[in-house]
Amino acid sequence: MRRPPALPNQPGPPFDHLTARRLRVALGMGPEHVAYGLRVSYGLPYVAPDLVIAWERGIVCPTSPELTALAGVLWCSPGELIGRPRTLREHRVARGIAPEDVARAVGLELLAYLGMEENDEWRGTDRQSAALAELLELNLPDFVAVTGREKRLTECLRGAVGTRWQAYVRQVAKIVPLDRRVVEETLMDLHRQYQGQMVSTLNWGGSGERAGAAGQEFLDEIVERFWEAVERRP
């Protein structure tokens, strides 16, 4: 998955990786077809199928030129592939706030704040985190992502749907400030959906490979599914 080094301080825009994958599937293309189109038609010789897969799983984000080229291959506008802000820098830029203003509002030295933004690693206290959430108008999913908790949440959710969901209630409740009942019911629903999807794929004559692909797609979207399930709770 080689790619040229990104230019400093020039991150790509927020990327909607789920939409990119859905558009590719709707076109009947595999990752190898997308990679071929990017190499041949858009002069990106380093793009291989594993880089396309990494984009679609949200592991890495395409740069601005890569996103524009990807939109061309997927027959869509670049705007359709731009998602909501996810990183600390993206949220700040989206709000039009200068870094020194953020640092001042949360009580950090400017260089310390810039380091957190550069490394995408928030290390503020609970009080500073609350001030950050208020300043950037972060909702709960964005707050969890910006404060670096989403990776651990992803790990817990994948464990919950694949094994005993009850064993992960306490861990998820520590990561996400939600009522314990909401966490329990949401994990139970996700576990039921995941297990049901795996069983139905096999019952309808699907191979183990097909079931594995369906399961991986569910796991790739597990955080989004979690927040959608939380929003549906009464």
Side-chain angles (χ1 to χ4, degrees), residues 133-162:
E134 181 177 0
L135 179 67
L136 299 183
E137 301 180 32
L138 302 175
N139 58 27
L140 186 53
D142 289 335
F143 177 74
V144 170
V146 165
T147 53
R149 306 179 190 183
E150 190 171 85
K151 181 179 179 180
R152 179 57 181 156
L153 176 62
T154 301
E155 294 172 350
C156 289
L157 294 177
R158 289 179 173 178
V161 299

Side-chain angles (χ1 to χ4, degrees), residues 164-182:
R164 293 181 63 255
W165 63 266
Q166 297 90 336
Y168 290 88
V169 172
R170 179 179 296 180
Q171 297 178 58
V172 173
K174 285 184 177 180
I175 298 169
V176 182
L178 290 171
D179 182 82
R180 185 182 178 92
R181 178 186 61 82
V182 172

Side-chain angles (χ1 to χ4, degrees), residues 111-129:
L111 289 180
Y113 170 76
L114 289 174
M116 295 181 194
E117 193 174 271
E118 182 68 27
N119 297 316
D120 195 20
E121 183 181 0
W122 175 253
R123 299 189 301 276
T125 64
D126 289 343
R127 181 188 63 78
Q128 291 169 329
S129 297

Side-chain angles (χ1 to χ4, degrees), residues 6 17 23 46 58 68-69 110 150 158 173 227:
H17 62 282
L23 287 171
Y46 55 87
T68 300
L110 177 57
E150 190 171 85
R158 289 179 173 178
W227 292 122

Side-chain angles (χ1 to χ4, degrees), residues 71-86:
V73 172
L74 297 178
W75 292 85
C76 68
S77 69
E80 293 178 72
L81 298 179
I82 295 178
R84 62 183 176 84
R86 296 188 58 80

Side-chain angles (χ1 to χ4, degrees), residues 36 49 73 79 169 187 206 224:
Y36 179 81
V73 172
V169 172
L187 293 186
E224 289 79 6

